[in-house]
Amino acid sequence: MAGIATMVLGLIMLNIFPTSADLPEGFRTPIIAFEFAKVEADLGYMAGDNPEAVANRQKMDAGMQWDMFFPIAYAALLGLLLLDLAFRGHTIAWPGIAVSVLIFPFDIYENLTMLEITRALDASAATETLLDKLQLATWLKWGAIAITMAVLSAALFADKQKAFAILAGVTAMSIAVCWLSGANPLAAEIMSGFSSIFFLAFSIKAGLMAWHELKPVSVNGDPE
């Protein structure tokens, strides 16, 4: 259910958030450009009263309403994948479960900060202080995600699920590279791409795991 919710909500937001805009150099995705905005000039595509800027703000606000539910889904997916590994004896998974619980409040904090910024832009108010707050909120969220993915990678390696372990590890490293680069636009977009692949792959994995556990069993104990 967490995997299905992650995919469904992801698709909904993909169709609500703006898909193109006159973004700062290097960015290709408006929502990623927003998350990693550092100065007021980085918000030029949402600032002002021109129809395109107003539409971009409205789409951001609409997408953010759905994004209030999204972290429930993907954080639960990460936590439950780790819980499964922990119950199978991989104790290294437990710290990741603890960190996964923090993803939801951190993501909501980021969303609320972004909504504050769009309201400030609606009122043509200054956003410098809010952008400082956004940088903290964004990295609290992505930091918790990276730690959770890194622990998941280690637990999957211990469970000999090498392909999924590598995907989780590479995605966690892409977040670390983005942070070390100072949120370089290219690094942020690459990180976003790996994260999308990660959640798609692990949502499918969770579905297959559920199907395997729930499929009918014959009288002699063999799956039908």
Side-chain angles (χ1 to χ4, degrees), residues 2 13 36 57 63 72 77 82 86 114 125 143 149 181 189 216 224:
M13 292 189 298
F36 293 100
R57 292 199 298 273
I72 299 175
L77 175 62
L82 283 162
M114 294 168 84
M149 288 180 176
S181 73
E189 292 287 353
E224 291 182 348

Side-chain angles (χ1 to χ4, degrees), residues 10 33 48 59-60 73 78 98 109 131 143 145 151 156-157 192 212:
K59 289 177 181 178
M60 287 292 184
L78 288 169
Y109 177 45
L131 284 171
I145 292 172
V151 175
L156 287 167
F157 267 118
S192 174
H212 178 74

Side-chain angles (χ1 to χ4, degrees), residues 23-141:
L23 303 175
E25 186 177 356
F27 283 107
R28 296 290 180 268
T29 313
I31 185 60
I32 295 299
F34 190 5
E35 283 192 48
F36 293 100
K38 298 174 184 176
V39 295
E40 288 191 332
D42 293 337
L43 301 173
Y45 63 100
M46 291 195 297
D49 296 326
N50 67 79
E52 184 180 356
V54 172
N56 284 335
R57 292 199 298 273
Q58 291 173 342
K59 289 177 181 178
M60 287 292 184
D61 286 347
M64 219 69 66
Q65 303 307 316
W66 286 97
D67 201 17
M68 294 297 183
F69 301 99
F70 188 52
I72 299 175
Y74 78 80
L77 175 62
L78 288 169
L80 290 170
L81 287 167
L82 283 162
L83 192 62
D84 174 69
L85 291 162
F87 282 165
R88 287 195 280 116
H90 302 295
T91 55
I92 192 174
W94 288 110
I97 295 169
V99 176
S100 72
V101 175
L102 298 174
I103 293 173
F104 175 70
F106 287 163
D107 201 327
I108 296 301
Y109 177 45
E110 181 195 46
N111 291 342
L112 293 174
T113 303
M114 294 168 84
L115 287 170
E116 284 187 79
I117 291 172
T118 57
R119 284 197 294 270
L121 292 171
D122 283 337
S124 299
T127 58
E128 293 99 330
T129 302
L130 290 172
L131 284 171
D132 290 339
K133 182 179 174 182
L134 178 60
Q135 288 187 60
L136 172 62
T138 296
W139 281 116
L140 283 173
K141 179 194 79 172

Side-chain angles (χ1 to χ4, degrees), residues 195-213:
S195 298
S196 297
I197 294 169
F198 171 94
F199 283 113
L200 176 60
F202 277 87
S203 293
I204 294 171
K205 173 180 170 60
L208 293 173
M209 289 168 64
W211 178 82
H212 178 74
E213 292 295 328

Side-chain angles (χ1 to χ4, degrees), residues 133-193:
K133 182 179 174 182
L134 178 60
Q135 288 187 60
L136 172 62
T138 296
W139 281 116
L140 283 173
K141 179 194 79 172
W142 282 108
I145 292 172
I147 293 169
T148 304
M149 288 180 176
V151 175
L152 178 61
S153 176
L156 287 167
F157 267 118
D159 201 52
K160 303 189 187 313
Q161 299 185 49
K162 292 184 179 179
F164 284 106
I166 290 170
L167 176 57
V170 169
T171 307
M173 284 192 290
S174 73
I175 298 172
V177 169
C178 182
W179 177 63
L180 291 170
S181 73
N184 172 272
L186 179 59
E189 292 287 353
I190 290 173
M191 176 197 73
S192 174

